[in-house]
Amino acid sequence: MELTMKSLAARFAVAAAISISLSMSSCSATAAWSGHHQPSYGDAVEKSLMFFEAQRSGKLPTDQRVKWRGDSALHDGFSQGVDLVGGYYDAGDHVKFGLPMAFSITMLAWGAAEFRKEITSLNQMDHALRAVRWGTDYILKAHPQPDVLWAQVGDGNSDHYCWERAEDMTTPRNTYKLDHENPGSDLAGETAAALAAASLAFRPYNSSYSNLLLVHAKQLFSFADRFRGQYDDSIVSAQQFYPSSGYSDELLWGATWLYRATGEQKYLKYAIDNAGSMGGISWGVKEFSWDTKYAGVQVLLSKVLMDNPHSPYTSILKQYQAKAEYFMCACVQKNDGYNVDRTPGGLMYMHKWNNMQYVSSASFLLAVYSVYLSTSKAKVTCLDGQVQPQDLLNFAKSQGDYILGKNPKSISYLVGYGQSYPTHVHHRGASITSISVQQSAVGCVQGFDAWYHRPEGNPNVIHGALVGGPDKNDGFYDERSNYEQSEPTLSACAPLIGLFSKLQSTYAAPGSYHDERPGTPSTLPGSYSQKTPPAYTGSKSPVQLLHLIMSSWNHGGATYYRHQVIIKNTSQKPVSDLKLQIENLSGSLWGLTPTQEKNIYQLPHLQVLKPGSQYMFVYVQGGPQAKISVVSYH
């Protein structure tokens, strides 16, 4: 049963939906994919991160790039005495479903940690970490006590009776929590995994926040393990939309991520001791999704074995690896007939409803496993022959290319990418004029009458939205009412950041992606003023700043950190007279010269950064790290 059953059009009485939209083939000729066309995977990364901003709930930051969105759901949780403002809407509606949101954060953070170098080279790490943090900050608020997790805000049924902007929301904002009496091992286990993965992503940039995430991750895993049960037995309203198939995989998933984030043997031992009883070494699967985590667990534990072939747990780890490779062989059609189905155009096909979310997750795993194999100089032996690491990555590329336009329809299923993409996306906010343009509220029923049934395309382009995608025969109909194919989800988009970053670094020509392109200022991210989480700044400047924590120690009851900042000239010209603004500096700094202006520092006299060269300075302090940005240069 497909899982994003959120858009129950039957309830809308829209059975007579207008067959207004043409199959996209009618307008695809201009975007035909030629053999000489090289996709800009970097542009796809940038677009995909924009989708996370379009899905933000709560009070939007001043540097919000998606300008057609506004503040929404500013009182979530208040009637229950808890602050649940923030987080993400999961798809085209306005419910905050905990399970797909947590999985999306896990996948986004895994990409940021696994492909740090690749994302950084695209100047997208700052955006990626902000996307992660928008989710983790919400999770921290939703976890006010060790054994309490607020799991959902909003009700799917009442939400789907209305077609309105998030800013105009009139539907009930019911809240649902997990506790001792209402357990949810699947959701709590996934949330623990999300925080553990996010702690890895943040560790080089903000160690104190990374450590805070781990505290909550450990508590949530303990809660998930001690009080066992399926979350949708405790939260019945979720059954219709995101039903769980069980919690054993999430317990293994949470333990495995905690082992990766902490190195503590007890978490690895948990995955070993429960390998058989929880299905980790008995389930060979052909799907990886917000509901089914076995393939992800098996891939991560294969890495543990590759890193330590002489582990005392080798025999069990090899069984995990065998199941990971069952998944890989099934994807590349070398599993003796037990393979993932494909469309005639070559797309993996798992489910009728929102198939692209399974494609993106599987492709991410293929890319990750290819890296693990390459690092350990290994290959996969399938029932139908051997598979090299490059074969896995090439197949992941074929799926990414299909998403971006190399398909029978010659359209991009990533909205806003390329010349031809869906324009009738099943998404409330995108389909109604922005509240910044039409400030009067759009009512619940008015939204259906004036906007849902409207034959024209959406007034707002929701960049980076990965729609549900084509059917088993590569057919796609760009209709707002065709929610199986035209609705985007957060869980579908999250794996794309890591996937496309890896594809850009491997297949794209040097210099083929630039994060600022003239002529499209309304869709460009621009330059962020640096906020937490600190990462790269100055996307329009010729230098990049990489902020690392090199060591820490305790003294007098306080923790101190040694910070290293690398300044790299990424332009084609020498850079001189570089000045930096350093705020929140409470300790000592070495390597820069202070100026007469407050908080302004410069490189030592006559120091010139040649193209491609870098310069390093360090500082030591306790508490949060300093905020660093480029002020001027020549």
Side-chain angles (χ1 to χ4, degrees):
M1 179 180 184
E2 175 37 43
L3 317 157
T4 43
M5 290 175 48
K6 302 167 300 310
S7 308
L8 301 174
R11 295 182 180 276
F12 300 157
V14 293
I18 315 164
S19 62
I20 38 105
S21 127
L22 307 172
S23 167
M24 292 297 293
S25 59
S26 63
C27 60
S28 63
T30 59
W33 186 293
S34 73
H36 302 290
H37 176 75
Q38 177 62 48
S40 173
Y41 302 115
D43 185 45
V45 171
E46 181 185 26
K47 293 289 196 300
S48 299
L49 286 167
M50 296 280 281
F51 179 64
F52 278 82
E53 294 191 25
Q55 295 301 101
R56 284 171 170 170
S57 179
K59 179 72 175 177
L60 301 183
T62 55
D63 51 25
Q64 168 84 5
R65 295 180 294 173
V66 180
K67 299 302 184 183
W68 52 266
R69 279 296 321 283
D71 299 340
S72 63
L74 297 180
H75 298 95
D76 279 358
F78 282 23
S79 60
Q80 286 74 32
V82 60
D83 177 6
L84 296 177
V85 177
Y88 288 107
Y89 303 122
D90 82 294
D93 54 16
H94 300 135
V95 184
K96 295 191 291 200
F97 288 104
L99 189 55
M101 189 195 304
F103 175 73
S104 300
I105 298 306
T106 306
M107 295 307 296
L108 183 58
W110 189 358
E114 195 74 60
F115 299 115
R116 176 172 291 126
K117 179 181 177 181
E118 291 85 352
I119 295 174
T120 293
S121 69
L122 295 172
N123 286 329
Q124 296 299 323
M125 184 56 82
D126 194 25
H127 296 311
L129 291 180
R130 290 184 194 210
V132 173
R133 185 154 187 169
W134 195 266
T136 53
D137 280 351
Y138 171 79
I139 291 172
L140 296 183
K141 292 196 293 184
H143 183 229
Q145 300 171 42
D147 296 342
V148 173
L149 176 63
W150 291 89
Q152 181 175 316
V153 180
D155 173 74
N157 287 312
S158 61
D159 183 272
H160 294 148
Y161 280 117
C162 287
W163 193 263
E164 57 190 354
R165 299 173 296 201
E167 296 82 0
D168 297 332
M169 207 184 306
T170 58
T171 49
R173 300 299 287 171
N174 301 340
T175 53
Y176 306 86
K177 72 175 178 179
L178 304 176
D179 55 23
H180 297 181
E181 298 177 354
N182 303 283
S185 301
D186 31 23
L187 176 49
E190 178 60 69
T191 309
L195 296 182
S199 75
L200 277 175
F202 277 103
R203 188 165 295 163
Y205 308 103
N206 191 330
S207 59
S208 58
Y209 188 66
S210 173
N211 292 338
L212 176 65
L213 295 176
L214 273 183
V215 170
H216 285 265
K218 291 178 178 181
Q219 291 178 350
L220 280 164
F221 178 75
S222 176
F223 170 49
D225 189 38
R226 287 183 296 117
F227 300 95
R228 294 191 182 182
Q230 285 189 197
Y231 93 102
D232 56 343
D233 288 336
S234 296
I235 304 174
V236 177
S237 70
Q239 290 178 359
Q240 219 175 345
F241 308 100
Y242 287 97
S244 174
S245 60
Y247 55 75
S248 293
D249 53 337
E250 278 88 6
L251 288 175
L252 293 173
W253 181 239
T256 303
W257 270 111
L258 276 164
Y259 173 67
R260 182 160 180 170
T262 67
E264 294 179 21
Q265 288 294 311
K266 66 179 181 180
Y267 294 114
L268 177 58
K269 192 171 186 301
Y270 184 98
I272 297 299
D273 292 346
N274 294 286
S277 62
M278 290 185 176
I281 58 176
S282 55
W283 281 103
V285 296
K286 297 187 291 184
E287 173 187 310
F288 176 53
S289 69
W290 59 263
D291 178 47
T292 306
K293 316 295 163 50
Y294 283 115
V297 173
Q298 292 153 359
V299 164
L300 287 174
L301 291 176
S302 297
K303 175 74 159 61
V304 174
L305 177 63
M306 293 178 198
D307 288 346
N308 185 10
H310 305 295
S311 165
Y313 307 124
T314 295
S315 62
I316 298 295
L317 291 174
K318 283 185 175 179
Q319 294 179 65
Y320 271 114
Q321 185 176 31
K323 291 300 186 289
E325 297 191 347
Y326 177 97
F327 178 87
M328 301 298 153
C329 295
C331 288
V332 298
Q333 308 287 293
K334 289 185 177 294
N335 209 36
D336 193 27
Y338 296 94
N339 298 317
V340 175
D341 290 337
R342 290 190 195 175
T343 69
L347 182 72
M348 286 188 284
Y349 192 79
M350 287 86 155
H351 290 279
K352 177 182 178 181
W353 197 311
N354 206 293
N355 181 61
M356 278 300 189
Q357 67 179 312
Y358 305 97
V359 174
S360 64
S361 295
S363 300
F364 178 92
L365 278 193
L366 286 158
V368 167
Y369 203 68
S370 74
V371 172
Y372 294 170
L373 290 172
S374 296
T375 302
S376 60
K377 296 180 171 57
K379 56 184 177 294
V380 179
T381 301
C382 299
L383 293 172
D384 294 332
Q386 289 189 341
V387 177
Q388 299 295 331
Q390 192 63 43
D391 297 330
L392 296 181
L393 191 60
N394 288 343
F395 182 68
K397 178 182 184 296
S398 76
Q399 301 302 290
D401 289 350
Y402 188 109
I403 289 172
L404 297 181
K406 190 177 183 180
N407 55 62
K409 293 288 186 183
S410 293
I411 64 169
S412 166
Y413 292 105
L414 191 73
V415 177
Y417 178 92
Q419 299 300 311
S420 180
Y421 48 80
T423 58
H424 295 73
V425 181
H426 182 95
H427 187 279
R428 288 160 173 73
S431 71
I432 303 174
T433 294
S434 171
I435 195 166
S436 64
V437 176
Q438 180 180 326
Q439 298 182 4
S440 57
V442 174
C444 179
V445 177
Q446 180 191 359
F448 282 116
D449 294 340
W451 297 100
Y452 184 82
H453 297 292
R454 186 170 172 263
E456 292 82 9
N458 291 347
N460 306 308
V461 177
I462 184 163
H463 289 92
L466 179 62
V467 297
D471 61 25
K472 63 181 180 181
N473 296 313
D474 299 298
F476 179 78
Y477 301 94
D478 183 20
E479 298 180 3
R480 210 169 285 118
S481 60
N482 182 20
Y483 44 86
E484 291 182 358
Q485 293 188 323
S486 67
E487 185 173 22
T489 62
L490 207 67
S491 55
C493 184
L496 296 181
I497 285 80
L499 172 65
F500 285 137
S501 296
K502 176 59 179 174
L503 296 181
Q504 175 72 19
S505 71
T506 305
Y507 296 97
S512 63
Y513 168 73
H514 303 281
D515 64 349
E516 47 182 319
R517 297 175 302 283
T520 54
S522 63
T523 63
L524 293 180
S527 176
Y528 272 176
S529 58
Q530 180 157 338
K531 293 184 176 179
T532 309
Y536 284 93
T537 59
S539 62
K540 292 183 179 179
S541 79
V543 300
Q544 292 177 342
L545 304 177
L546 178 59
H547 200 147
L548 305 171
I549 294 175
M550 306 305 294
S551 60
S552 64
W553 62 93
N554 293 315
H555 179 72
T559 302
Y560 293 85
Y561 301 92
R562 180 178 182 271
H563 300 267
Q564 174 179 294
V565 180
I566 298 172
I567 308 170
K568 184 175 181 179
N569 180 0
T570 57
S571 72
Q572 303 300 314
K573 299 179 180 179
V575 173
S576 61
D577 298 326
L578 178 67
K579 291 185 178 180
L580 302 175
Q581 182 179 41
I582 304 182
E583 300 173 87
N584 306 327
L585 180 66
S586 60
S588 302
L589 179 148
W590 295 269
L592 295 180
T593 302
T595 69
Q596 294 183 349
E597 300 174 78
K598 182 180 179 181
N599 298 334
I600 304 299
Y601 295 78
Q602 61 188 10
L603 269 61
H605 184 58
L606 299 180
Q607 181 73 43
V608 176
L609 283 177
K610 297 180 180 179
S613 67
Q614 58 188 37
Y615 180 83
M616 180 192 72
F617 67 94
V618 299
Y619 66 95
V620 172
Q621 68 182 31
Q625 62 191 39
K627 174 182 172 183
I628 304 173
S629 54
V630 175
V631 176
S632 63
Y633 56 88
H634 289 107

